[in-house]
Amino acid sequence: MFCFQCEQAAKGTGCDIQGVCGKMPSSSNLQDLILSELEALSFIVRGKEMPPAVKRLILDGLFTTVTNVNFDDKALVNMLKDINATKLALLGADAGAAPADLAFKAADTDAEIIAQARAHFANSVHARENADIFSLKSLLRFGLKGMAAYACHARVLGVEDDGVYEFFAEALSALHGEADADTLLGLSLKCGEVNLKVMEMLDKANTAAYGHPEPTRVRTTPVKGKALLVSGHDLKDLAAILEQTEGTGVNVYTHGEMLPCLAYPGLKKYKHLVGNYGGAWQDQQKEFARFPGSIVMTTNCIQNPKGYADRIFTAGLVGWPGVAHIHSGDFAPAIEKALAMDGFAEDAPAEYITVGFGHQAVLGVADKVVAAVKAGKIRRFFLIGGCDGAKSGRNYYTEFAEKLPGDCVILTLACGKYRFNKLAFGAIDALPRLLDMGQCNDAYSAIRVAVALAQAFGCSVNELPLSFILSWYEQKAVCILLTLLHLGIKNIRLGPTLPAFISPNVLRVLVDKFNIAPITTAEADLKAILG
Ligand code: FSO
Ligand code: SF4
């Protein structure tokens, strides 16, 4: 196996024995083969009318291979068979004359398919020989994976776009063949452009279904009673769980990236959605072990559920070997498990934070924000956002937020916010100094706000008193970074470490074009920005 798609890549270069995330070599090789088959499938359908099954497989196949989504070889084999059968059916009578990679046929048994995936990995090692091309192909591949995750969330709420599918096919098909550096860099920036559209689609899907997030004070400590915890990113799954638990006496909690759901009118209307439990994904093993109820993982980031595998359930594309999977939105097994468990014996001392500063809420007070900047009450905005993770060095983000002078405002999103979202930052006039804009895909809100502020001040986004201090972990962060680059945003500080898949030459291009910089220390970076 070889995988370097996330920030945990072993030794800063790549996982080649077993994933730091727990991914086994068989799963890694199967995921590589899924990718290769999606690229072949896209090569066949590019420029043609795409059958619905192909659209579904492109999104599901890509999302399945994102970090911490699916560790279950059985599910990966089934996904591979599905893609392979669809590809061969489209090739039809041409299959006999097609080159080997297009005509590849999956074997009959799971063990044989796992052996085919191992052979595919061994045969593709040469693809890494040209480090810069491999780096650019990886940048595009990982951006597409992240974008597929968002497109899947929009699709479950009924929002799709043919142009988006066409781009997936165009980019995957370019990855199937030989492509030069300029083409690959161009496609990566185009991926950023299309991802902006996908995030807009998801924003529309979420807000049409559940209303616009509203600033909401939410409880972060447990209350007495039976308990069910929902993690991941899927609003529709949470809505189904809330409907299905209504009147059962089970209290529902959000976890990790589900925290922003507590601010959507269509979700917070349920009285038994009582609050958020725990922190970011990397703390789940100790927090889930202590949770006295059942747990549902709707998307990444799942970790080895050692000690609680009998009361965690996966949904959608998530999988862990031996863990019960929820099919067709029927969460009865998880609800029964929650009812069978003790739940919380007591109310914990009440603690609250405020969430729900999506673009509608922030732009609703845009005139006050602009006036505060003009009056010198707000010196600068800092978007401190992105993923959290287990590696050391991430306390940089806590320190950075803590060290910010009182006339600076923090915009935040994604799970990295857990590093500082319970600290007291106070307010400037009536505007809180910490504005939680939502999940990682709500980078869309941050972009809307930045563009509106730039219009109000008659300048470009790069000229605004706004700095981007980003943390990354997995591939959704990659596609958001590509979106920011597509928008021409410069001087992004990225950490905790730069991606292993960016070669020195590719980094040089990104630095020259966009002045991306690695984070250093909170003190030094703040000094450099504020002068
Ligand atoms: Fe975090 Fe995981 Fe949301 Fe990611 S929970 S790390 S970027 O899946 O998508 O922010
Ligand atoms: Fe390693 Fe990350 Fe790949 Fe897992 S997803 S195998 S931790 S690089």
Side-chain angles (χ1 to χ4, degrees):
M1 70 171 282
F2 179 78
C3 179
F4 63 170
Q5 65 180 358
C6 87
E7 181 264 335
Q8 284 188 153
K11 298 179 238 92
T13 51
C15 301
D16 52 7
I17 300 171
Q18 185 189 328
V20 174
C21 60
K23 184 158 79 174
M24 301 306 286
S26 56
S27 312
S28 182
N29 296 337
L30 283 167
Q31 291 183 0
D32 287 354
L33 188 52
I34 285 174
L35 244 295
S36 164
E37 282 293 276
L38 285 175
E39 289 167 11
L41 176 62
S42 299
F43 182 77
I44 294 164
V45 298
R46 76 200 185 288
K48 300 190 188 127
E49 175 111 11
M50 229 183 284
V54 174
K55 296 177 183 172
R56 175 179 60 79
L57 287 170
I58 286 178
L59 297 196
D60 290 356
L62 285 169
F63 193 5
T64 296
T65 67
V66 166
T67 297
N68 288 346
V69 174
N70 203 312
F71 295 81
D72 183 3
D73 283 358
K74 182 83 202 156
L76 296 172
V77 162
N78 287 340
M79 175 68 71
L80 181 70
K81 281 182 179 167
D82 210 353
I83 298 168
N84 185 252
T86 307
K87 180 198 76 175
L88 291 176
L90 282 168
L91 267 182
D94 299 339
D101 52 350
L102 280 188
F104 167 81
K105 184 174 179 330
D108 293 329
T109 68
D110 292 7
E112 285 169 324
I113 292 177
I114 288 171
Q116 284 180 316
R118 195 168 47 237
H120 170 263
F121 169 70
N123 291 336
S124 58
V125 168
H126 69 88
R128 286 194 256 151
E129 277 164 13
N130 184 329
D132 296 329
I133 293 293
F134 189 55
S135 172
L136 286 166
K137 282 194 161 186
S138 300
L139 177 66
L140 178 57
R141 264 187 200 118
F142 303 156
L144 292 171
K145 288 183 181 202
M147 185 164 81
Y150 295 143
C152 274
H153 286 296
R155 183 190 61 188
V156 296
L157 290 168
V159 179
E160 296 179 81
D161 181 274
D162 276 342
V164 169
Y165 287 118
E166 278 157 25
F167 175 70
F168 271 114
E170 178 194 345
L172 286 166
S173 138
L175 287 167
H176 173 79
E178 302 289 323
D180 60 27
D182 285 346
T183 307
L184 291 168
L185 188 59
L187 283 168
S188 289
L189 293 176
K190 179 93 187 284
C191 179
E193 180 182 356
V194 178
N195 183 54
L196 181 60
K197 171 153 189 82
V198 173
M199 290 197 294
E200 182 187 10
M201 285 160 52
L202 181 51
D203 179 80
K204 281 210 175 99
N206 285 339
T207 54
Y210 309 112
H212 280 277
E214 303 164 340
T216 307
R217 199 167 155 261
V218 302
R219 188 171 171 126
T220 55
T221 51
V223 296
K224 186 178 171 183
K226 305 278 184 191
L228 192 159
L229 186 60
V230 186
S231 190
H233 301 74
D234 199 293
L235 275 60
K236 193 175 177 211
D237 280 344
L238 176 62
I241 289 167
L242 288 167
E243 266 171 43
Q244 293 170 32
T245 43
E246 201 163 25
T248 62
V250 172
N251 289 325
V252 176
Y253 294 80
T254 59
H255 172 261
E257 275 277 72
M258 297 303 279
L259 164 67
C261 299
L262 295 161
Y264 283 82
L267 299 170
K268 69 177 184 175
K269 69 181 182 189
Y270 292 95
K271 295 283 171 285
H272 64 297
L273 178 60
V274 292
N276 188 71
Y277 173 90
W281 68 271
Q282 75 279 358
D283 295 331
Q284 70 186 253
Q285 286 176 320
K286 65 176 190 302
E287 291 176 348
F288 289 2
R290 285 200 294 255
F291 188 75
S294 61
I295 302 148
V296 176
M297 286 303 303
T298 65
T299 66
N300 48 342
C301 288
I302 190 171
Q303 291 183 296
N304 186 349
K306 223 171 140 202
Y308 51 88
D310 61 332
R311 57 191 173 83
I312 187 168
F313 298 80
T314 55
L317 295 164
V318 192
W320 191 279
V323 164
H325 191 77
I326 301 283
H327 293 279
S328 330
D330 178 4
F331 291 92
I335 298 166
E336 278 158 27
K337 193 71 191 176
L339 285 167
M341 292 192 60
D342 291 344
F344 288 101
E346 302 289 344
D347 282 356
E351 289 172 24
Y352 297 92
I353 57 171
T354 302
V355 299
F357 294 94
H359 58 88
Q360 168 131 327
V362 176
L363 293 179
V365 292
D367 49 342
K368 292 200 181 83
V369 174
V370 171
V373 174
K374 287 189 172 156
K377 290 180 180 173
I378 297 177
R379 180 168 19 157
R380 197 165 189 90
F381 297 89
F382 287 83
L383 176 70
I384 311 179
C387 323
D388 208 345
K391 269 215 231 152
S392 59
R394 286 183 180 265
N395 55 340
Y396 166 95
Y397 298 94
T398 318
E399 280 173 30
F400 195 98
E402 281 175 331
K403 285 188 194 315
L404 278 180
D407 56 1
C408 293
V409 171
I410 302 169
L411 310 173
T412 192
L413 47 91
C415 56
K417 72 173 77 127
Y418 282 101
R419 295 271 163 181
F420 49 79
N421 70 346
K422 290 183 183 124
L423 304 177
F425 289 101
I428 298 174
D429 291 343
L431 187 77
R433 283 188 57 230
L434 175 69
L435 302 173
D436 182 345
M437 308 195 93
Q439 296 184 338
C440 41
N441 49 289
D442 294 310
Y444 174 71
S445 268
I447 290 166
R448 285 277 304 264
V449 168
V451 169
L453 285 178
Q455 272 166 2
F457 289 109
C459 66
S460 72
V461 170
N462 283 318
E463 289 163 334
L464 280 175
L466 167 67
S467 298
F468 290 82
I469 313 293
L470 304 185
S471 55
W472 85 284
Y473 171 60
E474 43 90 345
Q475 299 80 59
K476 285 186 256 177
V478 176
C479 71
I480 291 174
L481 183 66
L482 292 176
T483 297
L484 296 176
L485 299 185
H486 149 73
L487 290 169
I489 291 173
K490 295 200 166 139
N491 306 320
I492 292 170
R493 280 181 163 74
L494 183 64
T497 50
L498 293 180
F501 59 83
I502 298 293
S503 70
N505 286 334
V506 173
L507 181 63
R508 212 162 296 132
V509 173
L510 296 181
V511 171
D512 286 353
K513 271 176 103 89
F514 303 104
N515 207 22
I516 280 193
I519 59 168
T520 61
T521 65
E523 222 157 43
D525 287 353
L526 246 180
K527 201 169 159 210
I529 294 168
L530 289 176

